[in-house]
Amino acid sequence: MSIAVRVSVWILGVLVLISAGVAVMVLLQKQTLQQQNQRLQNNINEDQASLSTLSTKASKLESDAEDLRSKITQAQQAKDQVQSQFDDLKSKSDALQSELSQANSDRDDWKNRVTTISQERDDLMQKLRNRPTKIVYRTRIVHVPSAAPAEDQNGTSAVAVDVTSGQGDQYWASVLRQKAALQVELEKERVDLDQAALQVVALKKENSDLELSVKTLSNEKDEIIQKIKYGQDLADNLSIDLARSRNDQKAVNDRADKLKEQNYELQSEIRDLTSSKIELERNVSRLTDEKDSMQRKLIETESVIQSRIDDIWKIKESLDKKLTENAPTTGTSGGSMELPPIIVNTPNNQQEVSSNPAPVSGGGKTEGSIISINESNNFVIVDLGQANSSVGIANILKVYRNSNQIATLEVIQVRRDICAADIKDKSEELKVGDVVRL
């Protein structure tokens, strides 16, 4: 197998390995991206579930807040109603208090009047007891004034009566009538005083009831104020919780948006990787086709090489046979020997040439390589022939390895694609693959 075929096979294998590695890497990246996409999808689902939970909680908190607002409104209305009732009762209490004060003042006035009347009666009775009776036996005309008796400086009534005998009864009768009238008026004043006292007691009782009602309403007002304060605090707490839940919902929405963006980016990367994978699969398919083509070419090359090897073996056998036949008579200089004629293909037909023909001039390559070495007979086979180069019998060929000349060859036989050459001198052992130049 030639070096070019080996290099081609090696390059093809390397390309196949690279394509397989790239395909495996793309597959692993795709699986990793799919796993990341699945995790992101799970995170999105969890965030959506938590978002729905937070939304439910927020709606519940909003409904609770609405209920509390309605309760606060009702409590405020109840407070206003209680406050109005309290104000009404307060005004009634003030009115009753003023009426009670007026009744107390009236009672004091009546007491004063009763005391004054009692004192006047007592003074009058005392004056009547202490007044001496004058009896005049001569006839006198008594002038009794129709008006009330005049009062003296002490307030007592002084009656100027010129009595005769028998006329003092009228005076005493008038006094008794005045006394009876005063007693009636006194009893009336006492009855009025008792009624006023009863009214005062009723007013006191009503005042105490009103004060109790006012205290009750004050307690209810304090309770309502406490309830309103508690409702306001609860509403504030619910508002804070609602604000927190809204902030949490906003954070979850932001996170969901970020995850969606990352998901879109990963999907775009997956699409890019999928397109890259498709391109790589196309490249792999193309490389596979090229590999099949190169395998076919390799098979063809192997068949050509095998045919050349067969030609080489034929040359070797003919050379061995010729050397064996001419062993006693061979003694020419330079180790040259007679070879059987070689068939050369010309453009028109095939013709035989002698074992020592003239050099054939023609175009073609001027560099080849050693494809076989016969150390026992001291010759090599080179892949330069009449069809691909201008090599001819007796041409001198030089062998190089790593740009250093290591041997000199002389062509002894030429075929279509190969030639045989004796080894003239060498500085190193020759190897298959060494470069040969004309």
Side-chain angles (χ1 to χ4, degrees):
M1 185 183 293
S2 64
I3 295 175
V5 174
R6 290 178 182 176
V7 170
S8 300
V9 172
W10 183 78
I11 291 171
L12 181 61
V14 170
L15 290 174
V16 170
L17 290 176
I18 290 171
S19 61
V22 170
V24 170
M25 183 177 68
V26 169
L27 183 61
L28 292 175
Q29 288 181 354
K30 182 179 179 181
Q31 291 178 355
T32 304
L33 290 174
Q34 287 178 352
Q35 292 176 358
Q36 291 179 357
N37 190 10
Q38 187 66 30
R39 286 198 297 270
L40 290 173
Q41 192 67 33
N42 294 328
N43 292 328
I44 291 171
N45 294 328
E46 292 176 357
D47 291 335
Q48 288 179 353
S50 61
L51 180 61
S52 62
T53 304
L54 287 174
S55 299
T56 305
K57 290 182 179 179
S59 61
K60 186 176 180 182
L61 287 173
E62 287 179 354
S63 62
D64 293 337
E66 290 295 333
D67 294 336
L68 283 174
R69 290 192 187 96
S70 62
K71 288 181 180 179
I72 289 170
T73 305
Q74 293 176 0
Q76 190 69 30
Q77 293 176 357
K79 178 185 175 184
D80 295 335
Q81 187 176 1
V82 170
Q83 186 68 32
S84 63
Q85 292 177 359
F86 178 76
D87 295 335
D88 293 336
L89 291 174
K90 186 71 174 174
S91 61
K92 288 181 180 180
S93 176
D94 295 335
L96 289 173
Q97 191 70 30
S98 63
E99 290 179 359
L100 182 61
S101 300
Q102 186 67 32
N104 289 326
S105 63
D106 292 339
R107 183 191 63 182
D108 294 334
D109 293 337
W110 284 110
K111 281 183 179 181
N112 293 326
R113 290 179 65 185
V114 168
T115 304
T116 305
I117 292 170
S118 298
Q119 288 177 359
E120 289 178 355
R121 185 193 64 180
D122 293 336
D123 292 338
L124 183 60
M125 291 299 293
Q126 187 68 29
K127 286 180 179 181
L128 287 174
R129 289 189 190 99
N130 294 328
R131 186 181 182 91
T133 304
K134 294 180 180 182
I135 300 174
V136 179
Y137 291 100
R138 60 188 182 91
T139 302
R140 295 181 61 183
I141 297 173
V142 179
H143 297 283
V144 179
S146 61
E151 295 180 357
D152 59 4
Q153 293 178 357
N154 294 325
T156 60
S157 299
V159 181
V161 181
D162 290 335
V163 294
T164 59
S165 60
Q167 290 181 354
D169 294 334
Q170 294 178 357
Y171 170 75
W172 289 113
S174 64
V175 170
L176 290 174
R177 282 194 301 270
Q178 290 179 359
K179 180 181 179 182
L182 289 173
Q183 287 179 355
V184 170
E185 190 176 358
L186 182 61
E187 290 296 329
K188 185 179 179 181
E189 293 295 332
R190 284 180 181 176
V191 171
D192 292 337
L193 185 61
D194 292 335
Q195 290 179 358
L198 291 174
Q199 289 179 359
V200 168
V201 172
L203 289 173
K204 285 183 178 180
K205 183 178 180 181
E206 189 174 358
N207 190 15
S208 62
D209 293 336
L210 289 173
E211 288 179 354
L212 183 61
S213 299
V214 169
K215 289 182 180 179
T216 305
L217 290 173
S218 298
N219 294 327
E220 290 179 356
K221 179 182 177 183
D222 295 334
E223 290 179 358
I224 290 171
I225 290 171
Q226 290 179 358
K227 288 181 180 179
I228 290 171
K229 185 177 180 182
Y230 174 74
Q232 289 178 353
D233 295 336
L234 186 59
D236 293 335
N237 293 326
L238 288 174
S239 299
I240 293 170
D241 293 335
L242 182 62
R244 289 178 180 174
S245 63
R246 286 178 179 174
N247 292 328
D248 294 337
Q249 184 177 3
K250 184 178 180 182
V252 170
N253 289 327
D254 295 336
R255 185 178 178 187
D257 294 335
K258 290 181 180 178
L259 290 175
K260 285 180 181 179
E261 290 178 358
Q262 292 179 359
N263 191 11
Y264 292 151
E265 291 177 356
L266 289 174
Q267 288 179 357
S268 63
E269 290 179 0
I270 288 172
R271 287 194 294 270
D272 294 337
L273 289 174
T274 303
S275 61
S276 300
K277 178 186 175 184
I278 294 171
E279 186 67 25
L280 288 172
E281 288 177 352
R282 291 176 181 174
N283 292 330
V284 169
S285 178
R286 181 174 56 79
L287 291 173
T288 304
D289 296 336
E290 291 179 357
K291 176 185 176 184
D292 295 336
S293 177
M294 291 186 71
Q295 284 180 351
R296 288 193 297 270
K297 290 180 180 179
L298 182 62
I299 292 170
E300 292 176 358
T301 305
E302 287 179 353
S303 63
V304 172
I305 291 171
Q306 188 65 37
S307 63
R308 290 181 180 180
I309 290 172
D310 293 338
D311 293 338
I312 290 169
W313 279 107
K314 288 180 182 179
I315 292 172
K316 180 181 178 182
E317 289 176 356
S318 63
L319 289 174
D320 291 338
K321 183 177 180 181
K322 193 67 176 176
L323 290 172
T324 302
E325 291 177 355
N326 299 329
T329 58
T330 303
T332 59
S333 61
S336 61
M337 62 187 71
E338 286 292 330
L339 294 175
I342 299 173
I343 303 298
V344 179
N345 292 326
T346 61
N348 296 325
N349 56 3
Q350 295 181 353
Q351 59 182 356
E352 293 184 358
V353 295
S354 63
S355 60
N356 294 312
V360 179
S361 61
K365 62 180 183 178
T366 60
E367 182 176 331
S369 61
I370 297 173
I371 60 176
S372 179
I373 300 173
N374 191 335
E375 295 180 356
S376 60
N377 295 320
N378 195 31
F379 72 93
V380 296
I381 304 299
V382 182
D383 59 351
L384 296 174
Q386 293 177 350
N388 56 14
S389 67
S390 59
V391 67
I393 297 174
N395 289 145
I396 303 299
L397 304 177
K398 296 180 181 180
V399 182
Y400 294 89
R401 183 184 299 164
N402 295 330
S403 302
N404 296 323
Q405 184 177 350
I406 58 174
T408 302
L409 305 177
E410 182 181 357
V411 178
I412 59 175
Q413 197 174 25
V414 179
R415 292 284 190 260
R416 184 176 182 277
D417 296 319
I418 57 175
C419 65
D422 283 336
I423 301 172
K424 293 298 182 179
D425 55 358
K426 61 181 179 178
S427 60
E428 295 181 8
E429 292 294 330
L430 299 180
K431 295 180 180 179
V432 175
D434 290 337
V435 179
V436 177
R437 295 175 184 171
L438 288 173

